[in-house]
Amino acid sequence: MKKSVIYYFILMSMSSCISFGGDDSSDKLVFVGSYFTDGSLPDYTAKVTVDVKDGSVDVSKLTDMITQRYNYYSFWHNGFARNGRVAYYAHESNFEDEESSQRWDSFIEPVFLDVSSGEVTRCPVPTSPFETNLIPWVRSLKPIYIDNKGRIFYTVWYGLEYGDLHRPTIFRYDPETEEYTYTRGADVFVASQPEKGNDTENGAFSEGFAISSDGRYAYCIIYGYGTDFGSYHTDYSFLVEYDFETHEITRLDGGVRGGSIYGINSDYSKLVYSMSGKKYIDLATRQINDIEEIYFSSYPHCSFSTTAAVDAKTTGLYYVDFTKSTEERITDRGAYSAQFDKNGNIYFLKEGEGVNYICKKVDYTADTGYDTIASMPSNVRHVLLVE
């Protein structure tokens, strides 16, 4: 990977965005993003520190450990920030001189970054805890989480090099103790359900999931599957709550074909998913509600508030309330990397000539304008707010 010197920028706030007012809760904003010069691969992972009082921006190198290529090496898409840490799947170029026990020659790994120190810690990808002939594989299309205790959650796919047997597995790793636990029991759970397929032989966890804030539970899809003369097929799917302490599996919804997790809201009280239509479940009451008449997709966790997600499209920024099944455009075109802070304010980027404008919106009920916080170099892309 190309090594670059530390870049430092002081750029004054621009006035291109509309002023809306409102006080900032902190004197500093910190973002993490991928820094590019002239190549398709990022040079490094950058830290962007913004002084919200005078609009100055300091861009500095954090680490050579860049995120995976899926979705443009984007920390906004691929990363998860909590309590000063960012967890992500590290790109294969970080490990070019290493041998891997994973399924393919090129591989990614789950890691987390301490933003204050720049220290990167790799999470374990152990050999199969199930059948010994299964090969581990960390794939790119999956979420990663950090709980309020600092534990990291990620998925490892265990499968045959040739064949249908597979055990996608969600891990919970504690960096303080270097201990981990993982999901198990899908076969027994599927066999105990009243729905039976033609020849259901196994159960498996899906790779998409969400967690409770304290990290005790994972919310995911378990599906029952079989093979018919060597051809893989899925019978029924179930939305479940997995208890990492007791390894108990509780059914929440399902008994249908197919399903996926879209995400969990910012206070971890409502899970949004698809199973015979788009739905959300109140995790305290177990009440299931339909999401009607609006397009709702899988958004990064940073783009969720308590009741909605913010969606950046080519035509503008949209506030999508899944509890009301409503969608409203709240800015004009050209906004991206939209995300909520812990107070419910929306931050997003607007493109300019050679710079990007960091903007803040405090009123997301209508197209009423927004503040420009600062400008930063356009080489730093798809940034993620770190709180």
Side-chain angles (χ1 to χ4, degrees), residues 230-248:
S231 176
Y232 166 85
H233 66 87
T234 300
D235 290 319
Y236 292 106
S237 297
F238 308 90
L239 177 70
V240 304
E241 177 185 79
Y242 186 89
D243 189 330
F244 276 107
E245 304 301 323
T246 66
H247 301 290
E248 180 181 0

Side-chain angles (χ1 to χ4, degrees), residues 60-284:
S60 59
K61 179 179 176 179
L62 267 175
T63 175
D64 287 322
M65 189 76 76
I66 61 174
T67 189
Q68 53 157 315
R69 69 162 55 90
Y70 177 64
N71 277 328
Y72 324 111
Y73 305 97
S74 166
F75 280 90
W76 177 75
H77 285 98
N78 300 322
F80 186 96
R82 196 171 194 183
N83 296 334
R85 284 179 173 175
V86 177
Y88 58 101
Y89 292 100
H91 184 253
E92 60 200 43
S93 64
N94 297 290
F95 315 109
E96 288 175 342
D97 298 327
E98 300 181 23
E99 294 184 0
S100 173
S101 61
Q102 290 193 44
R103 183 171 175 177
W104 307 116
D105 292 336
S106 60
F107 63 98
I108 62 176
E109 284 195 9
V111 303
F112 68 90
L113 165 68
D114 186 302
V115 177
S116 63
S117 67
E119 180 181 358
V120 175
T121 302
R122 294 164 66 171
C123 302
V125 180
T127 57
S128 173
F130 310 108
E131 293 86 349
T132 57
N133 60 336
L134 299 184
I135 303 170
W137 182 22
V138 179
R139 310 200 303 179
S140 62
L141 307 181
K142 62 186 74 66
I144 193 165
Y145 286 95
I146 306 173
D147 70 10
N148 62 9
K149 300 177 178 65
R151 295 175 295 194
I152 316 299
F153 295 74
Y154 53 95
T155 306
V156 178
W157 173 287
Y158 293 98
L160 296 171
E161 185 172 4
Y162 304 102
D164 287 325
L165 181 62
H166 55 277
R167 306 282 186 195
T169 304
I170 303 167
F171 277 81
R172 184 182 74 181
Y173 171 62
D174 188 341
E176 301 302 321
T177 64
E178 298 185 347
E179 296 176 340
Y180 59 82
T181 185
Y182 54 86
T183 53
R184 63 200 79 173
D187 287 348
V188 174
F189 172 81
V190 167
S192 69
Q193 300 309 300
E195 297 86 356
K196 305 296 179 185
N198 295 328
D199 63 340
T200 301
E201 299 165 345
N202 298 96
F205 290 87
S206 64
E207 294 177 277
F209 68 99
I211 66 165
S212 60
S213 181
D214 64 359
R216 175 161 184 172
Y217 302 104
Y219 304 103
C220 49
I221 304 291
I222 287 180
Y223 54 94
Y225 67 95
T227 56
D228 184 6
F229 300 103
S231 176
Y232 166 85
H233 66 87
T234 300
D235 290 319
Y236 292 106
S237 297
F238 308 90
L239 177 70
V240 304
E241 177 185 79
Y242 186 89
D243 189 330
F244 276 107
E245 304 301 323
T246 66
H247 301 290
E248 180 181 0
I249 301 172
T250 302
R251 174 174 171 163
L252 301 177
D253 195 4
V256 299
R257 296 184 186 276
S260 60
I261 302 292
Y262 288 137
I264 195 165
N265 69 342
S266 59
D267 68 359
Y268 299 86
S269 66
K270 296 176 177 63
L271 181 76
V272 186
Y273 66 101
S274 175
M275 189 164 278
S276 294
K278 295 180 175 65
K279 305 178 181 181
Y280 73 91
I281 181 171
D282 186 303
L283 295 169

Side-chain angles (χ1 to χ4, degrees), residues 314-329:
T314 56
T315 54
L317 199 61
Y318 290 78
Y319 184 80
V320 186
D321 191 321
F322 60 83
T323 65
K324 298 178 180 178
S325 294
T326 59
E327 178 184 64
E328 183 174 6
R329 193 174 99 156

